[in-house]
Amino acid sequence: MLLAAAVMGTSACDGKAEAQKKAPAKPTVPSVVAATKTFQDAVTNFDTSDGCPKADGECWDKMKAVAEPAKVLRKAMNADKKSGPAFWREAYVLLDKMEKGMAVGEDTFSNRPDVLGPAHDLSDWLDENPVK
């Protein structure tokens, strides 16, 4: 009887358990329109705040608050088959500049313009080149 249960147990695991496993869900990428709005809202939020304090190290959180939506925007741009990479060329250049500034890994007074300048330029570019 134990042998029959063991055989049934292995046959129950054979195939059915595999069929019940689901592939992990792929993270969804927001539309370019949604990612653009989120990014531009982050730039506007920075502009309406008190800006960066003068001391080094005190602006990192604000820089990250602008850089994180920029990463999402890049993913949305990459997924945008309608417009294509040629359309986004200038936006990619600005995002690359931001990422290079963020790669320092901290707020040093000298990398603020490398992050925040291109962020503002990208926000302006997105206004001038809307995606529908």
Side-chain angles (χ1 to χ4, degrees):
M1 207 157 48
L2 287 174
L3 182 59
V7 170
M8 289 178 69
T10 57
S11 66
C13 291
D14 194 27
K16 288 187 179 185
E18 292 297 319
Q20 291 177 354
K21 288 183 182 177
K22 294 183 181 179
K26 290 183 179 179
T28 57
V29 176
S31 70
V32 174
V33 173
T36 296
K37 180 175 180 354
T38 301
F39 171 73
Q40 288 184 311
D41 287 349
V43 172
T44 300
N45 187 40
F46 173 82
D47 289 343
T48 58
S49 72
D50 57 352
C52 284
K54 291 187 184 210
D56 280 358
E58 294 184 14
C59 194
W60 188 239
D61 288 342
K62 291 182 178 190
M63 292 166 64
K64 288 193 296 188
V66 172
E68 290 301 320
K71 289 180 187 178
V72 175
L73 177 60
R74 181 186 289 272
K75 288 178 184 175
M77 290 165 36
N78 290 343
D80 180 30
K81 304 299 181 210
K82 191 174 176 183
S83 300
F87 173 79
W88 295 110
R89 187 185 61 75
E90 190 172 342
Y92 283 126
V93 169
L94 295 168
L95 286 167
D96 290 346
K97 288 179 182 179
M98 287 180 66
E99 288 176 0
K100 186 176 178 184
M102 290 299 291
V104 173
E106 62 183 325
D107 167 32
T108 62
F109 190 73
S110 62
N111 72 332
R112 291 177 185 182
D114 296 338
V115 175
L116 300 170
H120 285 89
D121 292 344
L122 179 56
S123 184
D124 292 342
W125 186 90
L126 291 165
D127 282 337
E128 295 164 6
N129 299 278
V131 175
K132 296 171 177 80

